[in-house]
Amino acid sequence: MSHSTYNQLFQQAQNALNDILELESASSTLDITKDAAAFSRHQNNLYIKYIRIFRKLEVVHDQIAHPQKWKVVEMLLEGVMGRIIEVRREMVDKGLSEFHFMDDVIQDLKLTPSNVEIPIPKYFSRKAVKLREERRQFFVKLLQEEAVTKEKEVPQSTDEAVRIIQIAERARQGRLRARIMRDIWREEQREKNRKLLPPVTMQPAEAATLIQKTWKGYSQRKKTVRQRDEEFEFIGMVPSENANKPSAVNLMAKETAENRHLLQEQYRTEYEKAQPLIKQTVMDTEGPDMKETYREQIRHWFIECYNTSGKFPDYPTVEQGGSDIIFAEKTPDQLLAEILAEEEEKENQKGKKGNVKEVKKEKKGKSKPEPKPEGFSDFLPDITEGNKIYTDVWRDRDESANLLQKHDVELEKEDKRKEVEKEIRLQVDELMREELRNLRMAVERDFSEPPKAKTKPKKARGKEKGSKKKEKDFTANRSLNSLCDELIEQGLLKAAPQVPLASYLGDFSYLGSTLLHANINPMPSLYDIRQIITTYAILPLGSQPLHEKAPLVKSILLAGPRGVGKKMLVHSICTETCATLFDLTAKNIAGKYPGKSGLQMMLHMVFKLEPKRLKKNLPKLLKQIKAEDRVLLVGTSSRPFDAELKPLFKVYDRIILIPRADYASRYVIWKNFIEEHGGVISNTLDLTSLAKISDGYTPGHLVEVVKSVLTDHRIEQQAKVPLTANNFIRALSKIEPIYQQEETAFMNWASKTPLAKKALKAKREKEALEAAAQEAANKKKR
């Protein structure tokens, strides 16, 4: 695509942002207590519109070449991602549920589920390419060294080597003997069949007619089947043979996108190199005039203040803003009054320090930050600012002379001019402070007493009050590489498998809102799980500014039956964000670092490799995680109902129950897994029936079945013997499904989570209010 295409897409996203900012202002008038349904519809509509804007901005951010526009797009993209997280948090807090069904809103907006799926920004993986490769090489090198060490530690004896060679040779001879015997048997069968054939008594003309009839029938049947398949493929009733093969157009588009990435890097490098040159040009050409202008203005301010008050003013300090407040739109009298008021306030504060006994002692420790007001957003100001920059700078800008979309020198001069002004003001401030001292000495003849010699303050004995005890470093004399080596050897630090989140298959829940209107609680789909993981884990971990300002999620618990993909989601989080994976499961740490001191050492080593060193046990560790620490604790459990509820719910901020796959998801999983493992889906394979009868089985079960059926030998036979549903049903019948008792146990456990308890309490209060209103209405009728 061309530069103009992405400029138009940028403009469309800005127009949509203008509309959604107006919609945001209307949300303040909605009251959930009066009309919860209207509030829910409004939030769903807002959420979907933000996702659509996010999808457009993500494409623009990935492909736009102009480096100055790219900075604006990045600001907007971070703001929109953060606002999506905030809106979802509001939906969870007000709706008291982690899952929200928006199929009715999507239908009203004439959209498809793929239009509203939250994408993972491509720059996450592009930024982490170098880091991922370095980490892979580090793991490979360490594992190779460990393998060499083990080989040296356990030398192989001559007898053992001879025994291995004998085993291999006997196996080779057995395979060769079996192949020879198979060929002999086949030859015997052919000879036997040849003897059983009857003698040919047909005339040549009759034989030719029979051959023609057979061939013409076969040819016509084949042609009819091909025409029928082409028609079914055209109307979408059967999958295309080339559906999974990239077309020439797609390959060309992919190549163009890669070329634009290279162009982006080239333009960005040129822009970064040009910035100091442009700044120096502004400094050389406009700096002297700026400096002289500022000095004249400050001198004029000196004279005005002297004529007004009879004395020269005190020059504003650096903390007060220096000459910035002089150039503000204020009169000399106002500036002088402000400076005098600040000095008087400082003197009052000094006087208060002497009367220590009257001041109440504050509680030890830091005061808790004030809660943010309801409806407050940390990201709306960024979105508004980015929208304003686009409106003021780019919307009506004539770029006909910049067809290559390189950086705009004049625009950069405007930005650098502000930096130059700030630097020159600091220089002028130093000069004018000296000039003001000279003026005072010459005009006012200041004969003040010489300043007294400053006495050195006495050092306080002992430790200062409130000083924190320094945390003990158990590994002060060790490098981070040595800690990594030890943790890898112990199996705590692992190389996560590369599993993109898109491989966690699941379809949209198409009847969610319909079931809700019928007072039936719908089960979420695996599509919803994928969206939640993107919102709570991948987006915040992938962006440092987003993690610092978005609602902080320190820990997530993924609970569900075996085989629903809990570990796969953990690996997807690590893959998409290039995160480091520490495996602290009970099974993995059993027998390692025994005792209390060993546990302290293990946790110390794990968290020393993170951005911030944390403390001893898990709940305390979570309390120490701050917004600037991109750390996420993810727990997985297939039997959470066996654990103690109170400590479990205390540790995890978000608790996600992953259900078994619904019909739509099972159909998608069967289709993709069979094709991924070399299977060919034909008319003989009834995927609808497979999806129907596999109710109660998890995606892990389906993967196990597909792997057991699609062996190398069976894949080779597909041309002659196509796959059928019976091939998979036989293998599926040998696996234990998830029974209703286990599902009931999960649902009972989920009803005891803090969020479910709040929802139950709100439901009871609502029912009580409705009953009271109904009773009052009945009394009026009487």
Side-chain angles (χ1 to χ4, degrees):
M1 294 185 185
S2 62
H3 297 306
S4 60
T5 302
Y6 297 106
N7 288 334
Q8 290 173 6
L9 193 60
F10 188 19
Q11 185 177 2
Q12 292 173 10
Q14 289 297 329
N15 295 336
L17 273 177
N18 290 330
D19 297 337
I20 207 167
L21 289 175
E22 295 178 2
L23 191 62
E24 288 274 16
S25 61
S27 64
S28 58
T29 60
L30 292 175
D31 188 359
I32 187 173
T33 59
K34 294 181 179 178
D35 193 351
F39 181 83
S40 177
R41 283 195 301 271
H42 171 79
Q43 290 295 94
N44 290 346
N45 194 18
L46 197 68
Y47 184 69
I48 289 174
K49 288 188 175 182
Y50 267 122
I51 291 176
R52 296 193 68 194
I53 294 171
F54 174 38
R55 293 179 67 88
K56 291 180 181 178
L57 288 176
E58 196 276 327
V59 174
V60 175
H61 182 271
D62 183 60
Q63 293 292 306
I64 198 167
H66 201 298
Q68 291 156 304
K69 286 182 186 175
W70 185 86
K71 290 169 63 178
V72 181
V73 175
E74 187 175 41
M75 178 194 299
L76 289 168
L77 186 65
E78 296 280 353
V80 170
M81 283 194 294
R83 189 60 187 141
I84 288 173
I85 297 174
E86 287 180 336
V87 172
R88 184 171 190 90
R89 176 61 66 88
E90 292 173 7
M91 293 164 64
V92 172
D93 293 342
K94 298 295 175 62
L96 299 177
S97 175
E98 293 286 358
F99 303 102
H100 300 85
F101 303 96
M102 294 173 277
D103 48 294
D104 54 345
V105 181
I106 292 175
Q107 186 175 1
D108 292 342
L109 295 175
K110 309 298 182 186
L111 301 174
T112 62
S114 60
N115 297 139
V116 294
E117 184 165 6
I118 301 176
I120 298 172
K122 297 181 184 66
Y123 77 91
F124 282 9
S125 58
R126 286 173 58 193
K127 282 195 307 184
V129 168
K130 186 177 179 182
L131 177 62
R132 188 179 288 115
E133 181 61 24
E134 290 176 354
R135 186 176 297 168
R136 188 190 66 81
Q137 292 178 358
F138 175 76
F139 273 96
V140 170
K141 181 181 177 183
L142 189 65
L143 293 174
Q144 287 176 348
E145 292 175 356
E146 187 178 353
V148 171
T149 305
K150 287 182 179 179
E151 287 178 2
K152 291 180 180 178
E153 291 175 354
V154 187
Q156 194 176 52
S157 63
T158 306
D159 295 340
E160 182 68 19
V162 170
R163 191 179 68 84
I164 293 173
I165 294 172
Q166 287 176 344
I167 291 172
E169 177 61 21
R170 286 168 184 166
R172 186 190 69 81
Q173 291 180 4
R175 289 192 295 270
L176 181 61
R177 190 179 299 110
R179 193 179 302 117
I180 293 172
M181 295 302 296
R182 184 185 60 190
D183 295 340
I184 293 172
W185 179 82
R186 286 179 177 175
E187 184 62 30
E188 290 176 352
Q189 290 296 319
R190 281 196 293 269
E191 187 65 27
K192 188 184 295 183
N193 293 334
R194 195 178 300 115
K195 292 179 179 179
L196 294 175
L197 288 175
V200 179
T201 59
M202 189 178 295
Q203 296 297 322
E206 295 176 359
T209 304
L210 181 61
I211 293 172
Q212 289 178 356
K213 182 176 67 173
T214 304
W215 167 250
K216 287 181 179 179
Y218 168 78
S219 177
Q220 186 60 42
R221 285 191 298 272
K222 190 174 181 180
K223 182 179 179 182
T224 304
V225 169
R226 185 173 64 251
Q227 291 175 348
R228 184 194 62 186
D229 291 343
E230 289 176 355
E231 183 179 357
F232 282 178
E233 182 180 328
F234 178 74
I235 62 179
M237 290 187 65
V238 295
S240 172
E241 294 181 0
N242 300 322
N244 298 325
K245 297 179 181 178
S247 63
V249 176
N250 291 335
L251 292 174
M252 187 182 298
K254 186 177 180 180
E255 183 181 356
T256 304
E258 293 298 328
N259 291 336
R260 290 190 70 87
H261 290 162
L262 298 176
L263 190 66
Q264 269 186 344
E265 294 298 326
Q266 177 189 340
Y267 283 3
R268 209 172 301 162
T269 304
E270 293 176 359
Y271 175 57
E272 290 172 357
K273 290 180 179 179
Q275 283 179 321
L277 300 177
I278 294 173
K279 181 179 178 180
Q280 189 61 41
T281 302
V282 175
M283 180 72 78
D284 295 340
T285 56
E286 303 179 20
D289 293 339
M290 288 182 187
K291 186 179 291 187
E292 191 60 34
T293 303
Y294 294 155
R295 294 183 68 174
E296 289 297 328
Q297 290 177 350
I298 295 172
R299 288 193 188 103
H300 179 71
W301 179 64
F302 289 165
I303 296 170
E304 288 289 334
C305 290
Y306 184 80
N307 293 335
T308 303
S309 60
K311 63 178 183 178
F312 288 108
D314 290 333
Y315 204 90
T317 62
V318 178
E319 291 78 12
Q320 292 173 332
S323 58
D324 284 343
I325 64 172
I326 299 175
F327 298 121
E329 296 179 358
K330 296 178 182 178
T331 63
D333 294 340
Q334 291 173 333
L335 289 172
L336 185 62
E338 285 183 4
I339 295 172
L340 292 174
E342 288 179 3
E343 292 178 354
E344 187 177 352
E345 186 178 353
K346 287 181 181 179
E347 291 178 0
N348 293 336
Q349 289 177 354
K350 288 180 182 178
K352 289 179 181 178
K353 286 182 181 178
N355 194 7
V356 180
K357 293 182 181 179
E358 296 180 1
V359 180
K360 293 183 179 180
K361 293 182 179 180
E362 295 182 355
K363 291 184 179 180
K364 292 182 179 180
K366 294 183 180 179
S367 59
K368 292 183 179 180
E370 295 183 3
K372 296 176 182 178
E374 188 175 353
F376 176 81
S377 172
D378 286 312
F379 295 96
L380 274 179
D382 296 340
I383 296 174
T384 306
E385 182 184 355
N387 193 26
K388 186 176 183 302
I389 293 174
Y390 174 80
T391 304
D392 297 343
V393 177
W394 297 108
R395 186 178 64 183
D396 301 323
R397 195 174 192 86
D398 183 11
E399 293 189 273
S400 58
N402 189 12
L403 297 178
L404 296 178
Q405 290 292 287
K406 293 189 175 183
H407 64 273
D408 192 322
V409 176
E410 294 302 320
L411 183 61
E412 187 61 24
K413 280 184 179 180
E414 295 177 10
D415 294 337
K416 295 303 177 187
R417 192 172 288 116
K418 297 175 184 177
E419 297 180 14
V420 170
E421 287 177 358
K422 187 175 181 180
E423 293 180 7
I424 288 179
R425 281 184 183 180
L426 294 175
Q427 298 173 9
V428 170
D429 286 350
E430 294 297 324
L431 294 174
M432 297 312 293
R433 286 192 184 97
E434 183 66 26
E435 188 172 327
L436 181 60
R437 284 195 290 269
N438 295 335
L439 282 173
R440 280 178 173 168
M441 291 175 64
V443 178
E444 298 181 4
R445 299 184 181 279
D446 186 13
F447 295 100
S448 61
E449 295 181 2
K452 294 181 180 180
K454 293 182 179 179
T455 58
K456 294 183 179 180
K458 294 181 180 179
K459 292 183 179 179
R461 294 181 181 178
K463 292 183 181 179
E464 295 182 2
K465 263 189 177 180
S467 62
K468 292 184 178 178
K469 184 180 178 181
K470 190 175 180 181
E471 184 183 355
K472 185 178 178 181
D473 191 347
F474 298 98
T475 56
N477 58 345
R478 295 183 60 182
S479 65
L480 293 181
N481 284 339
S482 67
L483 297 181
C484 284
D485 294 348
E486 182 174 340
L487 289 173
I488 291 173
E489 290 173 3
Q490 294 294 333
L492 300 181
L493 177 57
K494 294 185 175 181
Q498 295 298 303
V499 182
L501 186 64
S503 61
Y504 187 80
L505 302 172
D507 205 356
F508 186 74
S509 180
Y510 294 96
L511 297 176
S513 59
T514 305
L515 294 174
L516 280 176
H517 293 174
N519 294 324
I520 301 173
N521 191 20
M523 290 295 292
S525 68
L526 301 185
Y527 172 96
D528 300 318
I529 300 297
R530 196 166 63 234
Q531 296 289 85
I532 286 179
I533 294 299
T534 302
T535 308
Y536 283 156
I538 294 176
L539 292 184
L541 286 179
S543 170
Q544 181 68 32
L546 190 63
H547 195 274
E548 292 178 359
K549 297 172 68 176
L552 184 59
V553 175
K554 300 179 182 180
S555 54
I556 300 174
L557 174 62
L558 303 177
R562 62 192 184 280
V564 293
K566 300 181 288 295
K567 290 183 180 178
M568 182 181 181
L569 289 172
V570 175
H571 295 154
S572 296
I573 294 171
C574 296
T575 299
E576 300 292 357
T577 61
C578 197
T580 305
L581 176 63
F582 294 94
D583 187 356
L584 302 181
T585 56
K587 182 180 179 180
N588 192 44
I589 65 175
K592 301 171 184 176
Y593 299 98
K596 185 177 179 181
S597 60
L599 178 63
Q600 290 177 346
M601 173 64 76
M602 181 188 71
L603 292 177
H604 173 80
M605 291 171 65
V606 167
F607 285 99
K608 189 171 183 178
L609 296 178
E610 293 300 320
K612 188 178 180 65
R613 192 175 305 150
L614 305 174
K615 286 194 176 181
K616 299 177 183 178
N617 49 47
L618 201 54
K620 291 182 180 179
L621 288 172
L622 293 173
K623 289 180 181 178
Q624 297 296 327
I625 294 177
K626 305 300 180 186
E628 60 269 17
D629 302 323
R630 282 196 283 174
V631 179
L632 180 67
L633 173 69
V634 183
T636 62
S637 176
S638 58
R639 297 188 64 83
F641 36 78
D642 292 341
E644 296 183 20
L645 298 183
K646 189 174 180 181
L648 185 70
F649 296 154
K650 186 178 179 182
V651 168
Y652 292 102
D653 297 338
R654 301 281 107 185
I655 298 171
I656 311 299
L657 177 60
I658 305 177
R660 56 184 173 82
D662 56 4
Y663 170 80
S665 296
R666 291 196 302 273
Y667 184 90
V668 172
I669 291 170
W670 276 118
K671 180 178 182 298
N672 283 270
F673 282 176
I674 290 172
E675 292 178 342
E676 182 181 338
H677 289 83
V680 176
I681 297 176
S682 61
N683 295 332
T684 60
L685 180 57
D686 189 358
L687 289 179
T688 303
S689 299
L690 270 180
K692 188 69 176 176
I693 65 174
S694 56
D695 189 12
Y697 292 91
T698 62
H701 293 150
L702 305 188
V703 174
E704 185 179 346
V705 168
V706 171
K707 286 183 177 179
S708 65
V709 172
L710 293 178
T711 60
D712 294 340
H713 180 64
R714 185 65 184 88
I715 291 173
E716 292 176 357
Q717 287 183 330
Q718 288 184 102
K720 297 179 181 179
V721 185
L723 292 172
T724 63
N726 289 332
N727 300 139
F728 299 96
I729 292 172
R730 281 194 293 269
L732 193 66
S733 62
K734 299 176 184 178
I735 298 176
E736 290 288 331
I738 305 300
Y739 292 108
Q740 187 64 39
Q741 294 86 343
E742 187 173 351
E743 286 193 8
T744 305
F746 273 106
M747 297 307 296
N748 293 337
W749 172 82
S751 65
K752 298 174 184 177
T753 60
L755 194 62
K757 287 183 177 180
K758 289 181 182 179
L760 182 61
K761 182 181 178 181
K763 182 180 179 181
R764 288 174 178 171
E765 290 176 353
K766 182 181 177 181
E767 290 175 352
L769 289 174
E770 290 176 353
Q774 184 65 32
E775 186 177 352
N778 293 338
K779 286 182 179 180
K780 286 183 180 180
K781 289 179 181 179
R782 294 172 188 172

